[in-house]
Amino acid sequence: MAVIEDPFQVRLSGRGGAVSLRQQVSDAVRDALVAGTLVPGQVYSAPALAEMLGVSPTPVREAMIDIAREGLVEALRNKGYRIVGFSDRDLDELAELRALIEVPTMAQVALHARAEDLEQLRPLTKTLNSTAERGQLREFIAVDTEFHLRALALAGNRHLVDNVRQLRSRARLSGLAQLAEAGQLVNTAREHGQLLDLMIARDAGAVAELMRRHIGHTRGVWAGRGEQARTSAT
């Protein structure tokens, strides 16, 4: 059984000199929102968030300006930030939008991307497997996002990537910890390697089918809704 790390209590790792502290804090907060560690409706102060991340309140306040503009939190004067909740209908519709965009785009990438460019994603699939095995949920979510956005970027449409990034930031994967505890998160992590193999083989039909199932996992079992919800985004 995996030992689950709190997705938000894991301190910032200082990823890459080109990534600002403000951006690192933004990414960490978004990951925690997706994982459900920051509870919808609850108010968190900047000092409390800063203590969780091991940084000063200043980059937290700067990052939360960006996150509030995206509609993910609501700034409350002299109190902090209320986490905005999304209804099941909202999340179903967001998953449906992801499927409409990502399924055909990944199929097109499979047909047209160079194999050497696709192979650049291979280390991410290995990291996803290892983070799933160790129950590192925040890291898993971050690498999962990076894998999908980098793959979609091979289609050459920056606006598409930006839109998918925003859609993913609104997901709520409250069942992720339970999957990791049961050892089932590793199975879904392995789908990334399978997807990459299919893309390199230029099997666009199989890529599209796997992407539909993968997005269904995100809205279904990953979000704690059970097996039946897996195909809700198809």
Side-chain angles (χ1 to χ4, degrees):
M1 181 178 294
V3 177
I4 309 303
E5 293 183 356
D6 188 308
F8 203 51
Q9 292 293 343
V10 177
R11 300 289 177 113
L12 296 178
S13 58
R15 296 172 297 135
V19 181
S20 69
L21 185 57
R22 176 176 181 164
Q23 185 61 53
Q24 290 185 62
V25 171
S26 295
D27 291 344
V29 171
R30 289 188 186 93
D31 294 343
L33 289 170
V34 171
T37 305
L38 297 179
V39 181
Q42 192 161 327
V43 177
Y44 298 86
S45 69
L49 293 171
E51 183 177 356
M52 292 178 186
L53 287 169
V55 297
S56 70
T58 298
V60 170
R61 292 190 179 96
E62 292 172 347
M64 297 305 279
I65 292 173
D66 300 330
I67 295 172
R69 286 173 180 163
E70 296 171 13
L72 301 178
V73 301
E74 178 187 3
L76 303 177
R77 186 176 179 85
N78 299 325
K79 292 185 178 179
Y81 308 92
R82 177 184 290 122
I83 306 304
V84 174
F86 294 93
S87 69
D88 278 346
R89 178 175 177 176
D90 290 331
L91 295 172
D92 286 341
E93 290 176 351
L94 290 168
E96 183 178 356
L97 279 174
R98 280 193 57 197
L100 289 171
I101 296 171
E102 294 183 59
V103 170
T105 302
M106 292 291 260
Q108 286 299 308
V109 169
L111 291 175
H112 301 296
R114 299 186 306 170
E116 53 266 38
D117 291 334
L118 290 168
E119 279 293 350
Q120 295 296 315
L121 302 175
R122 187 72 64 184
L124 295 178
T125 67
K126 296 178 180 178
T127 302
L128 283 165
N129 291 339
S130 62
T131 53
E133 290 171 356
R134 294 194 293 265
Q136 296 173 310
L137 300 188
R138 188 174 71 81
E139 287 82 351
F140 178 89
I141 291 169
V143 179
D144 177 66
T145 298
E146 183 178 359
F147 174 88
H148 285 280
L149 295 184
R150 284 178 56 180
L152 291 168
L154 294 176
N157 189 324
R158 290 176 294 121
H159 297 287
L160 181 149
V161 174
D162 288 342
N163 275 281
V164 172
R165 179 185 289 109
Q166 291 180 24
L167 290 173
R168 290 179 64 94
S169 72
R170 286 164 169 75
R172 294 296 181 267
L173 309 181
S174 57
L176 213 57
Q178 291 91 331
L179 283 178
E181 289 172 349
Q184 298 176 14
L185 186 58
V186 174
N187 294 331
T188 52
R190 289 173 180 160
E191 289 182 348
H192 299 81
Q194 297 165 9
L195 181 64
L196 184 57
D197 289 339
L198 291 171
M199 294 172 76
I200 291 172
R202 301 199 182 282
D203 191 340
V207 167
E209 179 57 30
L210 182 53
M211 274 302 301
R212 289 189 190 97
R213 292 203 311 270
H214 193 68
I215 294 174
H217 295 337
T218 303
R219 184 63 195 114
V221 293
W222 286 27
R225 297 180 68 191
E227 188 75 17
Q228 186 176 3
R230 284 189 177 192
T231 58
S232 62
T234 63

